[in-house]
Amino acid sequence: IFCSNNCIFARFLCDRKFCRIKIFNKKYYFLEEGNIIALNLLDGSKIWENSEFGGDGVAFDFGKDGELYICGFHGPEFFAVDADGNTLANIVSFIPEYWWPCKVEYLGKNVRVSMDGSDFGKAVDIEVDLEDYSYDIVSELTQDELLKEILPMQYGDREPTEIKYLYEQENMEMEW
């Protein structure tokens, strides 16, 4: 990331070392080697850095007061920071039988995290209570149902078998 003529430029890629998160509330958020960093959008200066996350391959959402709710594909499965970069919660793993968090959705009093993998061939949604960070399973989806839920912008209203085919054509490795 670098600053030139009051504009921020960044690599728009996501790998284990660098991942763009989002521009939100005049801050540019990104992940670098497991650290969450917020930059001033106007001059590129670092506002804060949180080194407690440690994850990569993220899904995220923001709360009404600028909180960032984020998960790492390989953990942690839920991580929350306030608008100043202070850690609010760090849940390394919800339930051992479910893994691969793939979607985070702020719902007001709760945050929903969708888990893509399980020992049972089903995905699951887990809701985290933002008052005490307790959590519960709220629904179980088949992997096909989850694909239809999380990939509509990329693949539209296609059937899960079509989505699987498109993934294979893009040479992405997936376990089914």
Side-chain angles (χ1 to χ4, degrees):
I1 292 181
F2 60 93
C3 185
S4 173
N5 298 329
N6 293 325
C7 295
I8 292 179
F9 299 91
R11 300 182 301 165
F12 289 97
L13 58 94
C14 189
D15 58 27
R16 297 201 96 171
K17 295 188 183 221
F18 179 88
C19 187
R20 176 183 186 267
I21 296 176
K22 185 176 182 177
I23 294 172
F24 185 79
N25 280 351
K26 299 180 184 177
K27 296 176 188 169
Y28 179 89
Y29 291 85
F30 68 100
L31 192 64
E32 185 173 46
E33 295 186 350
N35 300 323
I36 302 169
I37 301 170
L39 300 180
N40 180 311
L41 192 57
L42 298 177
D43 65 12
S45 63
K46 186 185 297 184
I47 298 171
W48 57 258
E49 180 171 350
N50 182 307
S51 61
E52 296 177 38
F53 176 63
D56 60 34
V58 298
F60 63 88
D61 203 359
F62 286 89
K64 67 178 173 112
D65 295 321
E67 306 90 351
L68 173 61
Y69 304 107
I70 190 169
C71 63
F73 195 67
H74 298 288
E77 292 181 352
F78 180 82
F79 191 82
V81 295
D82 66 16
D84 296 319
N86 302 304
T87 300
L88 300 172
N90 184 357
I91 300 172
V92 175
S93 177
F94 290 118
I95 302 164
E97 293 82 16
Y98 294 96
W99 59 85
W100 295 334
C102 60
K103 180 180 177 184
V104 175
E105 182 181 7
Y106 172 72
L107 302 172
K109 294 182 180 183
N110 299 315
V111 171
R112 179 172 289 168
V113 178
S114 297
M115 308 294 284
D116 187 30
S118 77
D119 291 337
F120 319 109
K122 290 190 174 223
V124 67
D125 285 342
I126 296 174
E127 282 191 8
V128 179
D129 184 314
L130 294 178
E131 292 220 4
D132 61 5
Y133 298 102
S134 61
Y135 52 87
D136 289 308
I137 294 176
V138 293
S139 69
E140 288 188 290
L141 303 171
T142 66
Q143 287 179 339
D144 286 350
E145 290 168 332
L146 184 69
L147 283 174
K148 284 187 88 168
E149 182 178 314
I150 67 172
L151 297 175
M153 292 189 337
Q154 185 173 356
Y155 293 107
D157 293 330
R158 297 181 179 169
E159 291 299 312
T161 53
E162 291 178 88
I163 294 171
K164 180 180 175 186
Y165 173 79
L166 290 169
Y167 266 120
E168 291 168 353
Q169 296 305 307
E170 293 172 3
N171 297 318
M172 295 182 70
E173 292 183 29
M174 290 192 72
E175 210 160 298
W176 293 88

